[in-house]
């Protein structure tokens, strides 16, 4: 039996979750004004052309925005004189609703892109002019506190120097995110990813020359890099890469090392015991067909 007090608390919790922008970031965005029509966009383009004034050629990619809001924002973007694109590498601005650790956000940080919230476009359309990028730069207090980074600071660092410059990597196949995604992000951040496992001589050479060489793996693949672990060479999990990309700061902390507990597990016992010397193992005789007996 549900009491009225329990019902009220449940209803309040439901309302709080539904109105939480961190959980449903697109809900509030749907309350923005209607988009301009194609005729209004064309008229504005002609107005810009006749005035001869130079406008910034802003190219925008979107992340974490649903199709309905994306269409409205794209129309407003076109009205202001910008255009939308799909690839983060082609954009000048990434418009996103939060600072969660996504592939597109990490890519934008590595490339030093402007990362803004959707109201950079919404308010720009309302004021009929581009707004200052810095005033709308992404600041997700909850996510930045949780992940220990500052988006604006990370972008500035990426513009100054690539975080994985002169760093070599080897990534085993079963990691998550996938090896392909990590390879793409590492190369955007200036690193080099090798396809083949490093030979002991290569590791020794890197140690002698102080050339950073980082091996990324997971518990499923530890057998592949066991020869490195036996030499006390550190093997890290994917968090080391992802945190470094978010913060634009390389920290090979021991906390990011892969757990080697799976290597310590004893091997399963053999299915059959080997024969004792001097006592040959007897093989079971094949079963003989029994004569069919007929009841009297």
């Amino acid at each position: 039996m549900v009491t009225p007090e329990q019902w009220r608390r449940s209803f309040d919790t439901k309302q709080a979750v539904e109105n939480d922008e961190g959980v449903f970031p697109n809900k509030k965005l749907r309350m923005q004004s209607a988009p301009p029509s194609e005729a209004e966009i064309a008229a504005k383009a002609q107005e810009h052309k006749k005035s001869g004034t130079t406008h910034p050629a802003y190219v925008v990619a979107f992340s974490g925005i649903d199709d309905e809001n994306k269409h409205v924002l794209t129309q407003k973007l076109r009205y202001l004189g910008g255009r939308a694109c799909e690839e983060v590498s082609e954009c000048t601005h990434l418009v996103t609703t939060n600072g969660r650790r996504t592939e597109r956000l990490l890519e934008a940080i590595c490339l030093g892109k402007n990362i803004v919230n959707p109201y950079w476009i919404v308010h720009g359309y309302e004021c009929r002019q581009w707004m200052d990028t810095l005033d709308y730069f992404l600041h997700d207090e909850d996510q930045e506190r949780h992940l220990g980074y500052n988006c604006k600071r990370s972008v500035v660092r990426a513009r100054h120097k690539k975080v994985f410059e002169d760093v070599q990597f080897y990534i085993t196949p079963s990691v998550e995110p996938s090896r392909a995604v990590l390879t793409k992000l590492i190369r955007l951040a200036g690193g080099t990813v090798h396809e083949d496992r490093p030979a002991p001589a290569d590791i020794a050479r890197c140690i002698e020359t102080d050339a950073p060489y980082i091996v990324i793996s997971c518990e499923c693949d530890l057998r592949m890099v066991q020869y490195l672990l036996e030499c006390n060479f550190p093997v890290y999990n994917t968090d080391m890469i992802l945190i470094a990309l978010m913060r634009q700061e390389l920290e090979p902390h021991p906390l990011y090392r892969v757990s080697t507990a799976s290597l310590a597990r004893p091997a399963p016992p053999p299915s059959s015991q080997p024969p004792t010397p001097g006592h040959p193992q007897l093989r079971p005789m094949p079963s003989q067909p029994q004569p069919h007996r007929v009841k009297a």
Side-chain angles (χ1 to χ4, degrees):
M1 185 69 180
V2 179
T3 65
E5 179 64 21
Q6 291 174 325
W7 177 266
R8 186 185 62 80
R9 285 203 304 267
S10 299
F11 180 78
D12 291 344
T13 302
K14 177 176 178 290
Q15 289 290 99
V17 171
E18 288 180 347
N19 294 324
D20 188 346
E21 289 188 50
V23 181
F24 299 104
N26 287 284
K27 184 174 181 180
K28 182 180 177 181
L29 199 55
R30 291 194 188 100
M31 295 186 291
Q32 62 178 301
S33 60
S37 64
E38 290 293 336
E40 290 174 318
I41 294 173
K44 192 65 176 178
Q46 286 295 325
E47 182 183 327
H48 287 160
K49 190 174 181 180
K50 288 180 180 178
S51 64
T53 54
T54 304
H55 295 275
Y58 290 144
V59 182
V60 173
F62 295 97
S63 177
I65 296 175
D66 60 28
D67 291 340
E68 180 183 345
N69 282 319
K70 185 176 178 180
H71 171 73
V72 174
L73 291 172
T74 300
Q75 293 295 92
K76 293 179 177 180
L77 174 68
R78 291 174 57 205
Y79 181 89
L80 291 169
R83 66 179 179 87
C85 70
E86 289 299 324
E87 298 297 326
V88 175
S89 58
E90 299 175 4
C91 75
T92 59
H93 292 66
L94 177 70
V95 173
T96 185
T97 54
N98 56 59
R100 292 175 184 167
R101 193 170 65 184
T102 64
E103 180 183 349
R104 290 173 74 81
L105 179 62
L106 291 173
E107 187 176 347
I109 290 175
C110 291
L111 295 173
K113 302 292 186 180
N114 294 303
I115 304 171
V116 294
N117 65 58
Y119 295 96
W120 176 68
I121 297 177
V122 173
H123 294 164
Y125 175 70
E126 291 173 356
C127 298
R128 300 300 193 263
Q129 64 178 10
W130 291 112
M131 309 305 288
D132 190 334
T133 296
L134 293 178
D135 291 340
Y136 293 86
F137 217 93
L138 181 68
H139 177 59
D140 186 333
E141 187 174 347
D142 292 337
Q143 288 296 323
E144 290 184 1
R145 187 191 310 112
H146 173 66
L147 296 171
Y149 83 109
N150 178 279
C151 186
K152 189 183 295 185
R153 185 190 304 126
S154 296
V155 169
V156 171
R157 285 176 175 173
R159 291 173 180 174
H160 177 68
K161 182 182 178 181
K162 293 188 177 295
V163 66
F164 292 149
E165 187 175 308
D166 300 325
V167 182
Q168 302 178 71
F169 290 86
Y170 170 70
I171 305 172
T172 59
S174 304
V175 295
E176 287 293 337
S178 70
R179 184 177 182 177
V181 170
L182 292 177
T183 297
K184 173 185 175 182
L185 293 172
I186 288 171
R187 288 173 176 166
L188 287 176
T192 301
V193 180
H194 296 283
E195 296 296 327
D196 300 323
R197 282 187 295 176
D202 297 331
I203 296 295
R205 191 181 309 111
C206 289
I207 293 174
E208 290 174 1
T209 59
D210 288 331
Y213 199 114
I214 296 175
V215 175
I216 303 296
S217 188
C218 58
E219 288 194 43
C220 298
D221 291 339
L222 281 185
R223 298 288 177 186
M224 297 180 62
V225 292
Q226 186 172 359
Y227 69 103
L228 297 175
L229 294 168
E230 290 172 351
C231 300
N232 294 323
F233 189 82
V235 176
Y236 297 97
N237 58 35
T238 56
D239 279 342
M240 198 214 70
I241 291 180
L242 299 175
I243 292 296
L245 292 172
M246 292 295 288
R247 300 174 181 172
Q248 287 297 295
E249 183 178 11
L250 182 57
E251 298 175 295
H253 197 279
L255 287 175
Y256 302 136
R257 292 192 182 185
V258 178
S259 171
T260 57
S262 60
L263 292 177
R265 295 171 189 160
S271 57
S272 60
Q273 296 295 331
T276 307
H279 296 277
Q281 188 177 20
L282 299 178
R283 295 182 180 178
M285 294 293 293
S287 58
Q288 297 294 331
Q290 298 295 325
H292 183 67
R293 296 182 179 181
V294 180
K295 292 183 180 180

